[in-house]
Amino acid sequence: MQYEVCPNIVSLASYYFLLIEPIFGHHGLSDLDNKKFLGLLKAAVGRLTDINGKTSKMTYLSPNKSFWSKQHVPFCSWFLLPCTSKFCTAKCVSSNYSIYIYSHDDMRTAAGRNLSDEILRFGGAGTSQVINELRRSQRITQNASGACYFIAENKGRHIYKLQDLPYWNLGINHLVLDFLDGKCEGQHDIGFAALLKTHLSSDIFRSNFDKSLPLPPRKLFRNSEHSKKYLITFKGTSYPFQTAGGVRSMLSNFHNGKDIVFVTKPQFSIPSPEYNLWSYEELVEQSKFCLVPQGRSPSTFRLLEVMSAGCIPVFLFDRYTAKYILPISDEIAWKEISFIAPSYPAKFQTFLDSLRLINDSIVEKMSNLVVKTAASIVESSLDALSNKSLRSTYCKGMARKILREIESRRVV
C-alpha cells in the first residue's frame, strides 16, 4: 500500500528546533526516525495552534448547577504531538483500506527478546478479547506492507517500546490500545499515534484525536422498578497509602447507616463487621445515587456496573487526578446523567445535603437516561444480557467502536 503524507500534518519545526530538541534530544527516536520526523516537520505547512501550556482544572458539579470544564487541546508536553484526526493522518491511495494488528512476534522484535505468550497476552481488562473481536473484521490483514492503519497494544516500557515496533513509522496511522488500570506508561513513544485508553488525563489528552474508554463491568445489575431506599452508597476497597485512591479513606466519616452508606475495607486488611453487613448488590440496586470514587486510578469497573442498575453516578476525585477525561466524552453528555462531588470534607457534606433536595421525578428521569447510556456503551440491550455474556458483549462493542474510529479518521 502506498501512502501520501497529508500536507497539513502538524508543523512544529520552529518549536522543535528552539525548545524541544536542545532540551530533550530526539524524542528517544533513532537517528533514522529522527530524520524522518524532521522531514515531516519541514514539509508540513504551518499549523502551530492551541499550544499554550495552560492546565485545566475540573470544576466541581453541584446538583443545582452544571459546571463542567471545557476540554481544550494543550500541547501536553514534549512527548505528545498536538494532533487531530484531520491533520495527523496519512491517507492511503487505495480506498479499500486494511488494518494490521501487531502480532506477538512483532512485540518480541520490539522487545529484543523472547517473551512468553502469557506475558504478551496481558494487557489489561479485556484487551485480548477486544483484539480477538477486531481480528474478525474483514478489514484486518496479515500483510503489514499492504496495511493502511495499525493497531498496537501499550504494554509499558518494561516490556517493549512502541517506537521499536517494526512498522511504527513515528506512529502515523496508529491506534494504541491501553486498557491498563493505571497511568499512561510509555507515553513519550506515542508520536503521531492516537491513544485509545481507559485512563486519560487532560495533561496528555488530545481532543478529537485520543479517546477515553470505559473499563469493562464485572457484574450486571437490574434497574429496580420500585422506589429506592438509599440516597447514596458505596462499598469497596480503600487505598490509604496511595496518592491515587486515598480519597476513599474519608468516606466513613459520612456514613449514617440509614440512607447514606459508605463502607470501605483498607487494602490488605480484614473487613470489619460493619463492612460485611452490607451487600454490594443490594446497595447498587436500591440507591438513587452511587458514588464512583477513584481507586488506584480514576477509571473503575464500578462505573458501568452502577449505571446498569440505573444508579446515577457521582464521581469523586482528589486534586491530583481531577483532570481525568470521562469515558467516550465526545459521545456522552455526562453532565446530564452524573455529578462530580467535591473532595474537601466540608464541601462534600454540603453536596450530600443538596442531593436530598433533588425532586424524585428528576432522579427518575436521570436514572432512565443512565440505563440507556450504559446500553449504548455496551452496544446491546441490558435486558438481554447475563453476567456470563457481559464481558464478551462489552468487548464486541469496544471492537466496533474502534473500527468506527478508524473509519472516521480516513482522509480520502
Side-chain angles (χ1 to χ4, degrees):
M1 184 74 68
Q2 291 182 325
Y3 295 99
E4 61 179 86
V5 176
C6 177
N8 290 325
I9 211 163
V10 178
S11 175
L12 291 175
S14 59
Y15 197 85
Y16 179 85
F17 287 123
L18 294 177
L19 297 178
I20 299 176
E21 203 277 339
I23 299 175
F24 298 108
H26 299 158
H27 292 249
L29 302 176
S30 66
D31 290 340
L32 179 60
D33 279 347
N34 187 59
K35 290 179 181 179
K36 292 181 182 178
F37 179 66
L38 295 180
L40 286 173
L41 293 177
K42 291 177 181 178
V45 297
R47 187 179 174 271
L48 193 59
T49 59
D50 263 337
I51 300 178
N52 49 36
K54 296 180 180 179
T55 57
S56 65
K57 296 180 179 179
M58 181 168 287
T59 306
Y60 297 127
L61 178 68
S62 71
N64 301 319
K65 277 192 173 182
S66 296
F67 290 138
W68 281 73
S69 58
K70 294 182 178 179
Q71 293 178 3
H72 65 289
V73 189
F75 180 65
C76 302
S77 176
W78 64 277
F79 44 74
L80 285 174
L81 301 176
C83 294
T84 68
S85 56
K86 181 178 180 181
F87 295 111
C88 288
T89 305
K91 69 179 177 181
C92 299
V93 174
S94 171
S95 59
N96 186 26
Y97 69 93
S98 57
I99 304 167
Y100 180 79
I101 300 176
Y102 281 101
S103 67
H104 285 183
D105 286 339
D106 294 327
M107 298 177 193
R108 293 186 182 98
T109 299
R113 62 187 189 277
N114 187 24
L115 299 170
S116 69
D117 285 340
E118 183 179 358
I119 291 177
L120 293 176
R121 275 195 298 267
F122 177 77
T127 310
S128 297
Q129 288 174 271
V130 172
I131 292 293
N132 289 337
E133 291 296 335
L134 285 169
R135 292 191 186 279
R136 300 178 189 274
S137 170
Q138 295 181 349
R139 293 287 186 186
I140 302 301
T141 180
Q142 302 299 319
N143 179 18
S145 62
C148 195
Y149 297 95
F150 298 81
I151 295 176
E153 294 180 60
N154 185 19
K155 301 287 187 180
R157 288 174 57 84
H158 62 286
I159 296 181
Y160 63 77
K161 298 178 182 178
L162 291 168
Q163 68 190 51
D164 292 333
L165 289 169
Y167 314 106
W168 182 244
N169 192 29
L170 305 173
I172 295 173
N173 283 23
H174 276 65
L175 278 76
V176 176
L177 300 187
D178 187 341
F179 286 80
L180 296 173
D181 182 14
K183 64 182 180 180
C184 180
E185 294 188 60
Q187 53 191 278
H188 51 288
D189 298 332
I190 296 301
F192 289 104
L195 269 173
L196 274 62
K197 182 172 168 51
T198 52
H199 173 198
L200 269 175
S201 165
S202 61
D203 284 337
I204 64 173
F205 177 72
R206 294 161 293 179
S207 182
N208 299 319
F209 195 66
D210 297 325
K211 202 174 189 72
S212 178
L213 301 178
L215 281 169
R218 298 162 300 183
K219 297 181 180 180
L220 184 66
F221 298 93
R222 303 299 179 189
N223 187 14
S224 174
E225 297 179 357
H226 306 290
S227 60
K228 300 184 177 183
K229 59 183 178 181
Y230 302 115
L231 176 69
I232 183 170
T233 62
F234 171 79
K235 180 180 181 179
T237 302
S238 64
Y239 305 92
F241 303 110
Q242 297 186 23
T243 301
V247 69
R248 295 186 179 190
S249 300
M250 76 169 188
L251 296 178
S252 59
N253 299 323
F254 303 94
H255 168 79
N256 64 19
K258 298 177 181 179
D259 64 341
I260 297 178
V261 178
F262 294 147
V263 286
T264 60
K265 178 186 76 68
Q267 189 179 26
F268 309 125
S269 298
I270 299 175
S272 66
E274 176 76 5
Y275 183 88
N276 290 330
L277 184 64
W278 301 93
S279 163
Y280 173 58
E281 289 76 8
E282 180 188 358
L283 292 178
V284 171
E285 293 177 346
Q286 293 297 321
S287 298
K288 296 178 181 178
F289 303 92
C290 287
L291 200 65
V292 185
Q294 69 184 71
R296 287 169 296 185
S297 73
S299 55
T300 171
F301 303 94
R302 186 181 303 269
L303 177 58
L304 285 179
E305 291 178 5
V306 304
M307 290 178 67
S308 69
C311 196
I312 301 168
V314 175
F315 297 101
L316 179 63
F317 308 121
D318 65 22
R319 63 191 181 92
Y320 298 102
T321 53
K323 299 175 183 179
Y324 173 54
I325 301 297
L326 294 173
I328 321 179
S329 54
D330 55 339
E331 301 176 16
I332 297 175
W334 286 104
K335 63 182 180 181
E336 297 179 5
I337 61 170
S338 66
F339 298 110
I340 295 179
S343 60
Y344 300 102
K347 292 183 178 181
F348 186 70
Q349 181 62 64
T350 302
F351 174 85
L352 295 178
D353 294 337
S354 64
L355 289 179
R356 302 183 190 278
L357 304 178
I358 302 179
N359 188 280
D360 285 343
S361 62
I362 295 177
V363 172
E364 183 179 1
K365 182 179 179 180
M366 291 182 69
S367 176
N368 292 333
L369 188 55
V370 163
V371 175
K372 291 180 181 179
T373 303
S376 70
I377 293 175
V378 179
E379 296 199 349
S380 178
S381 171
L382 298 180
D383 292 333
L385 293 179
S386 65
N387 284 326
K388 291 183 178 179
S389 62
L390 181 59
R391 175 63 68 90
S392 174
T393 303
Y394 164 88
C395 293
K396 289 178 181 177
M398 286 300 106
R400 287 193 292 266
K401 287 183 184 298
I402 291 168
L403 292 172
R404 288 199 298 270
E405 189 70 22
I406 292 174
E407 179 67 28
S408 70
R409 292 169 187 269
R410 291 195 60 217
V411 182
V412 181

